[in-house]
Amino acid sequence: MKPRHKRAALVLGVLSIVGLAAALVLNAFNSNLVFFYTPTQIEAKEAPVGRTFRVGGLVQPGSVVREGVTVRFVVTDTVKSVPVSYEGVLPDLFKEGKGVVAQGQLGADGHFAAREVLAKHDENYMPPEAADALQRADKMRAKMQGTLSPAPTPANGAQK
């Protein structure tokens, strides 16, 4: 074998190893991606069924039901809602009307089975995904009502 052929075989071998390593890394990265969806997106069938993702919004007041270690509640973005069930201990700051992000899988029946529940950590904090979802829901609601939330003026009796 000529030296030129040896170098070509070495280059091909190195390229094959690098290509295989890149394929393995990308495959691992793809399987660990967790996307975020709002209840409105889930209602619009944009969320995958049977794949892990996150849903966020507010815990709908009056929706928390505890059955042993299972907790059922509803996550809403003030436009649409998704029923969620979770088995385990909820974070201490989990409350009705507060921001929450749940990670789990959506069933074919539209029920979200959470494996992890994250709650806000202080009074002013809301998960960024949940805050963004609520802002989009407000804009969508305003658009559906035909008004883009006009600024309140003292003339129409609105108070600050």
Side-chain angles (χ1 to χ4, degrees):
M1 186 180 258
K2 294 179 182 178
R4 189 171 97 199
H5 291 135
K6 287 182 181 178
R7 276 184 274 158
L10 180 66
V11 168
L12 282 175
V14 168
L15 287 176
S16 297
I17 291 171
V18 169
L20 180 64
L24 290 173
V25 167
L26 290 175
N27 187 29
F29 181 71
N30 189 30
S31 64
N32 289 326
L33 280 177
V34 178
F35 292 101
F36 179 84
Y37 292 94
T38 64
T40 300
Q41 290 174 313
I42 292 172
E43 186 81 15
K45 309 279 186 208
E46 293 178 21
V49 174
R51 184 170 173 160
T52 300
F53 65 90
R54 290 180 173 186
V55 61
L58 299 174
V59 178
Q60 186 171 330
S63 69
V64 178
V65 176
R66 297 178 193 273
E67 300 168 347
V69 294
T70 302
V71 180
R72 298 182 191 284
F73 56 95
V74 175
V75 175
T76 181
D77 61 0
T78 68
V79 174
K80 301 290 182 182
S81 301
V82 173
V84 177
S85 65
Y86 175 70
E87 288 186 17
V89 179
L90 288 169
D92 290 339
L93 298 172
F94 177 87
K95 291 181 182 175
E96 294 179 353
K98 300 297 180 184
V100 66
V101 173
Q103 181 174 324
Q105 294 185 347
L106 183 67
D109 59 351
H111 186 85
F112 190 81
R115 286 185 295 163
E116 183 179 8
V117 174
L118 306 170
K120 67 181 184 96
H121 68 274
D122 72 12
E123 286 184 17
N124 299 321
Y125 178 76
M126 178 173 291
E129 297 95 350
D132 185 46
L134 292 174
Q135 285 180 343
R136 281 187 275 150
D138 284 342
K139 287 180 184 175
M140 181 184 305
R141 187 177 327 108
K143 198 180 247 183
M144 289 175 15
Q145 292 174 350
T147 62
L148 290 174
S149 59
T153 59
N156 63 10
Q159 296 179 356
K160 193 172 185 179

